[in-house]
Amino acid sequence: MRISVRLNLPREVDSVPAVRRLLRCALSAFQVDRQDGDDLELALTEACANVVKHATGADGIEVRLDVAEDRCAIDVADNGAGFDASAVDDPGPNSERGRGLFLIKALSDNVRMQSTPRSGSLIHFEKSFALAGGAGAH
């Protein structure tokens, strides 16, 4: 079994908890470990919050969730002005801002960012799960 969802949401703060709740429901259908679920929820929250805060000119957020028993893949895209992904530095230890991409990288796997000037940005990230019953991670 697999759950695949594509959402087109307005670029506003209220979209963030809505997509987080949908992810939580999809993960619970597969009885994903709570820590893995919490990690993905936080990564998704950060990705969507970055669009809301930084995607100049974007009118919406597109979120694609692909959840299966052993893994979850998430894409968050916008149609804003874009940014230079290579210029994003990890935050310093005393930094009050700039932790979003750093957290996404720390909490998930296979993180890829793509941004095109005037065409928007995409961040993709995944997480693999240990299967129930001790089958181990894949």
Side-chain angles (χ1 to χ4, degrees), residues 6 12 22 24 27-28 35 39-40 46 48 54 60 66 72-73 80 87 102 108 111 113 117-118 122 125-126 129 133:
R6 180 177 169 175
E12 57 187 45
L22 183 62
R24 186 179 308 135
L27 294 173
S28 70
Q35 184 62 55
D39 289 351
L40 278 170
E46 291 295 331
C48 291
H54 300 294
D66 188 25
C72 176
F102 177 78
S108 57
V111 178
M113 292 180 284
R118 298 175 305 283
L122 166 74
F125 52 98
E126 303 174 7
F129 312 128

Side-chain angles (χ1 to χ4, degrees), residues 73-126:
I74 298 174
D75 290 329
V76 176
D78 67 73
N79 61 350
F83 69 100
D84 182 356
S86 66
V88 178
D89 295 321
D90 288 342
N94 298 321
S95 177
E96 296 292 322
R97 304 182 44 176
R99 297 192 183 282
L101 293 174
F102 177 78
L103 284 170
I104 294 166
K105 290 177 187 176
L107 296 171
S108 57
D109 308 310
N110 197 21
V111 178
R112 296 188 307 265
M113 292 180 284
Q114 177 182 335
S115 187
T116 306
R118 298 175 305 283
S119 296
S121 301
L122 166 74
I123 184 164
H124 170 91
F125 52 98
E126 303 174 7

Side-chain angles (χ1 to χ4, degrees), residues 11-41:
R11 182 183 157 225
E12 57 187 45
V13 173
D14 291 341
S15 294
V16 179
V19 73
R20 190 174 53 231
R21 282 192 300 273
L22 183 62
L23 173 63
R24 186 179 308 135
C25 288
L27 294 173
S28 70
F30 291 100
Q31 300 178 344
V32 170
D33 174 77
R34 188 69 195 154
Q35 184 62 55
D36 286 339
D38 288 348
D39 289 351
L40 278 170
E41 283 184 45

